[in-house]
Amino acid sequence: METSIFPVDARNIGRIYAVRSTRKDDILDDLAIELDGNSEDAKHLIRAAEQLKCSDIPVAFPTETVYGLGADATRSEAVRGIYRAKQRPADNPLIVHFASLKKLRDLLVPSQATEIKALTNGHTSESHDDDPIPPMYRPLVTKFWPGPLTIILPNPPSSRLAPEVTAGLTTFGARIPANLLALALIKTANIPIAAPSANASTKPSPTAAEHVAFDLDGRIETILDGGPCDVGVESTVVDGLCDPPLILRPGGVSAEQLRSCAGWENVQIGYKNAAETEGSQPRAPGMKYRHYSPRAPVVLFEAGASAPTVEQMRGYLGGKAKLGVIRTRCWTIDGSNDKNPIMASRPNETADLDTQREGAGGFAGLLATLHSSRQPSRTITAHKIPAKGSTTIELLDLALGPDTAGVARGVFAALRELDKRDVDAILVEGIDETEGTTAAAVMNRLRKAAEVNVAG
Ligand code: TXA
Ligand code: MG
């Protein structure tokens, strides 16, 4: 099978505009798209939408978090195609992506509303009695959709979702992504799209089209290239069907942001960090919980850990010479210092740390970002660290910068970039997870990627 990357710029696909919802009292606006039949970009998009509808081979597309590997969520064969391409065991449920609340409601079907209310402890809402979306989720959806938030919903008994999507659970995850290309694709295909991250199982999540191509070359036909992803870590997964509500996976929307919403003040953390369960022991590669991992072993320095000396670097390299270093807040590099080429400075107090992204402001807010500029790609600087009587270390230095949003956006790409340069080990300067949930999301992913965890 030949894999092709099709560049699509959302600005060139036709006319996109926000519209008021057809429900008078609705909580979210809607999006209208008139594709321009003469645009090459629109043609790529239409072709990908056709494949989603008819083929059993999944299609990769960008979202604001990471690239997704999409398939028609209502067709078992198509959903199985995702597991085949990723080579992932079928016991992990998938997130279903929608382009509007209306389409999500259509899936939940209004006639099921009573049943859903029963499942959600009888929460009701005066003005939305016929709305199948549980009232608990209303403030969240209003504030964070479209955006990096996945909500767990009861899967109605008569559900059109393929059983492979839910992996046998009675619930499913739903989200409306804040990426115009993703929305245009889902809208054009006019089906709910099941999509996990578009990496091969165990590899770092892809935040650019070439990452997808690297992992899935020959396994899928189509990758829509919409440029690098904005957020860089996956969506926050929340369960509001239980009391208190839970965060099942940290991600693009923080616990603090969730707590600012009515009914979510007491949201609890329902996930475990690898560090909590495994301590700081070195872990063997290839174990079941290994995730997000590049080929080279990753050594994660928790915030506050001392920077590694040259001797320690040699230890991590195990006789080899090429070392990747991913820097964030405090590390600086001096290639002429042959004992301590990495120095830890005090964190810059003025650095813009865990800045919270506000909700996109509905579809209208998302459209307003259409013409904003793209992030520049990051560069790798090579340093030679000479040594008397020992191999010179070739240190490849990749700086993500001090602010948390930038670290989140660049961290998966950085692991992949260094892997491509054939490094023998990757040292990562961790950030302080207590500072906010974006930081916690980054550290959660890094601990899963790391084989060695150096305590702070
Ligand atoms: O940002 C994202 O969410 C990306 C993009 C492509 O949208 N997607 C993504 O999907 O990360 P995936 O399959 O890699 O992660 C799905 C997560 C898993 O942690 C899974 O356990 C959880 O969502 N999940 C899905 N359905 C669930 C359910 N019914 N109950 C509990 N957790 C669920
Ligand atoms: Mg994933």
Side-chain angles (χ1 to χ4, degrees):
M1 189 182 313
E2 196 175 327
T3 305
S4 308
I5 299 185
F6 299 99
V8 182
D9 186 331
R11 289 169 295 193
N12 300 336
I13 59 176
R15 203 162 98 80
I16 312 178
Y17 51 98
V19 290
R20 298 273 304 250
S21 159
T22 43
R23 289 168 70 104
K24 249 197 347 281
D25 55 353
D26 212 345
I27 51 175
L28 204 60
D29 57 356
D30 219 331
L31 201 62
I33 299 175
E34 292 162 17
L35 293 176
D36 170 2
N38 294 319
S39 138
E40 280 305 306
D41 296 64
K43 284 180 193 161
H44 294 324
L45 185 87
I46 291 166
R47 210 172 143 265
E50 281 304 318
Q51 287 173 334
L52 282 171
K53 276 198 284 200
C54 308
S55 161
D56 296 337
I57 300 166
V59 169
F61 63 97
T63 79
E64 82 282 28
T65 57
V66 301
Y67 272 69
L69 188 62
D72 181 347
T74 66
R75 290 192 295 120
S76 286
E77 256 320 299
V79 178
R80 277 189 219 131
I82 295 177
Y83 292 101
R84 263 197 303 276
K86 276 185 69 108
Q87 296 187 297
R88 124 161 164 174
D91 59 357
N92 200 0
L94 304 174
I95 294 170
V96 187
H97 298 68
F98 298 85
S100 70
L101 275 186
K102 175 172 187 323
K103 290 294 172 183
L104 171 56
R105 289 189 177 113
D106 285 353
L107 189 105
L108 293 170
V109 291
S111 63
Q112 303 296 329
T114 330
E115 198 169 353
I116 285 159
K117 262 180 221 152
L119 270 162
T120 55
N121 305 333
H123 287 296
T124 52
S125 147
E126 289 297 310
S127 55
H128 300 283
D129 269 355
D130 59 339
D131 191 347
I133 296 172
M136 181 70 179
Y137 286 124
R138 245 162 224 299
L140 255 49
V141 165
T142 315
K143 193 153 179 196
F144 302 116
W145 273 3
L149 178 77
T150 296
I151 63 174
I152 301 299
L153 291 162
N155 194 22
S158 56
S159 176
R160 288 188 289 126
L161 292 179
E164 288 79 1
V165 170
T166 56
L169 296 175
T170 55
T171 54
F172 73 102
R175 93 174 184 103
I176 300 184
N179 177 290
L180 288 166
L181 200 49
L183 293 168
L185 178 69
I186 301 166
K187 232 181 165 72
T188 307
N190 197 23
I191 38 177
I193 302 290
S197 47
N199 51 294
S201 195
T202 80
K203 293 293 165 194
S205 294
T207 52
E210 55 271 25
H211 302 163
V212 182
F214 186 87
D215 278 15
L216 301 181
D217 190 32
R219 307 186 150 269
I220 58 175
E221 288 179 337
T222 301
I223 302 170
L224 291 186
D225 182 356
C229 299
D230 257 7
V231 178
V233 291
E234 298 90 337
S235 60
T236 302
V237 181
V238 294
D239 186 348
L241 304 179
C242 52
D243 189 15
L246 292 177
I247 300 176
L248 300 183
R249 177 177 74 178
V253 171
S254 72
E256 302 83 76
Q257 286 173 307
L258 294 170
R259 287 196 183 106
S260 72
C261 294
W264 291 81
E265 297 85 354
N266 190 28
V267 66
Q268 302 294 307
I269 306 292
Y271 58 88
K272 278 210 165 73
N273 275 318
E276 282 167 31
T277 45
E278 304 303 324
S280 55
Q281 297 303 308
R283 291 191 267 123
M287 296 185 69
K288 193 162 185 250
Y289 48 76
R290 199 164 181 235
H291 261 318
Y292 306 108
S293 302
R295 221 163 3 91
V298 173
V299 182
L300 174 63
F301 290 73
E302 294 282 333
S306 324
T309 63
V310 143
E311 281 324 306
Q312 287 166 331
M313 291 181 199
R314 287 194 196 290
Y316 295 128
L317 281 168
K320 297 187 176 142
K322 210 165 177 179
L323 185 70
V325 175
I326 298 175
R327 294 189 288 126
T328 57
R329 301 257 157 81
C330 306
W331 288 6
T332 53
I333 297 215
D334 174 4
S336 65
N337 185 333
D338 60 4
K339 287 204 176 53
N340 295 297
I342 302 180
M343 313 273 273
S345 60
R346 285 175 59 79
N348 183 352
E349 299 297 336
T350 61
D352 185 15
L353 297 176
D354 204 346
T355 354
Q356 298 308 337
R357 295 159 52 91
E358 274 311 306
F363 290 103
L366 178 62
L367 272 170
T369 65
L370 189 56
H371 294 280
S372 63
S373 59
R374 295 251 176 243
Q375 292 295 315
S377 60
R378 300 178 197 285
T379 52
I380 294 178
T381 314
H383 303 269
K384 300 259 183 220
I385 316 289
K388 297 172 201 88
S390 187
T391 8
T392 297
I393 295 178
E394 187 184 349
L395 191 156
L396 298 182
D397 163 33
L398 198 156
L400 294 176
D403 76 290
T404 309
V407 175
R409 199 180 297 124
V411 68
F412 288 137
L415 292 172
R416 283 174 176 274
E417 286 292 304
L418 290 170
D419 231 9
K420 239 173 45 196
R421 302 279 286 260
D422 269 333
V423 295
D424 302 304
I426 301 175
L427 310 189
V428 184
E429 180 196 354
I431 55 178
D432 183 356
E433 72 183 328
T434 60
E435 151 203 308
T437 309
T438 311
V442 167
M443 290 306 284
N444 169 274
R445 309 304 191 271
L446 281 172
R447 287 180 189 133
K448 289 185 179 170
E451 243 157 77
V452 180
N453 202 292
V454 181

